[in-house]
Amino acid sequence: MATYLNGDPESETLPFVGRHFDELSIPDENPNEITASDIVAVSFLSVSIPPAAAWALLHSRKNKLTEILSEITPDLAIDDPNCDYGVFDENSSLQQLWTTLRRNASGDRWGMGPVLTSKLMARKRPHLVPIQDSIVLAELHATDRDFWRMWWQAMQLTDSGHRPVRHYARKLRDSVPAAHELSLLRVLDIVIWMNGKARRATA
C-alpha cells in the first residue's frame, strides 16, 4: 500500500500513477454525474475511454447516467452489513448503469469493456464497486460473471473472533497516511493488485 501510494524509499521507485485515480475523486463534488475529471482519472489506471464514448457520456448520455446514479446511494458500501446482494442483481440500478456504460444508444458495444467500465463505476461509487482488473481477477480466481458476488461474499466474512474483513482493511488503511481517504474496497484492491503484480514479476 505504501509503495503504491508513496513509492519505495529504498529503491527510489516513483509512486504508481494509479494513485492519481483516487486523488482526483476525493471528494467527488458531482457523485451523480460523469465528468471530465472522471474520464481523465480512469486513464491513470492504464485504460482510456474511446473518444466517441467519452463525448456521449459527457453530453448525449449525461442525463440518463445521472438519473441512474441518483438511484444508487453514493456512500453505500459493499462491506456494510445492511448491503444486500440485491443491489448487484440483474434488475438493479447498478446493473443498469453497467449496461448503459457498455453500449451506445443503439445497443452496440463501443469499446467500453468490463475492466474499463468497472473503473469508471468505481470512480463514482468507490465504496460499492470493485475494480475488475485482470490481475485482481487472476488473484481471486474470479470471472467477469461472478466478480461482484465474490467480493460481496468476501466482505461478509468474519474471523473466529467475529471480526469482519473491513476490520483488517481499516487497520491497513490507518497504517498508511496516504491511504486515509480511500474506501476500504480500494485499499483491498490495491493490496491484491500489488501482490499479483509482484507474483507476475517473479514468475
Side-chain angles (χ1 to χ4, degrees), residues 113-181:
V115 173
L116 179 52
T117 301
S118 73
K119 290 177 178 180
L120 183 56
M121 289 177 67
R123 269 279 298 181
K124 306 314 298 180
R125 294 297 181 267
H127 303 282
L128 183 63
V129 180
I131 293 176
Q132 203 159 317
D133 181 86
S134 60
I135 292 179
V136 176
L137 276 166
E139 285 296 292
L140 299 180
H141 303 289
T143 66
D144 291 346
R145 184 179 298 275
D146 63 9
F147 191 67
W148 284 355
R149 179 178 292 277
M150 284 185 66
W151 267 106
W152 179 80
Q153 290 175 333
M155 297 305 283
Q156 314 307 314
L157 297 176
T158 59
D159 64 11
S160 58
H162 303 292
R163 287 170 297 215
V165 171
R166 64 179 176 277
H167 166 78
Y168 295 98
R170 193 172 288 119
K171 286 183 64 177
L172 173 60
R173 182 176 64 183
D174 292 345
S175 71
V176 180
H180 285 181
E181 297 297 321

Side-chain angles (χ1 to χ4, degrees), residues 2-3 6-15:
T3 299
N6 302 319
D8 184 347
E10 295 183 3
S11 65
E12 298 184 352
T13 300
L14 292 174

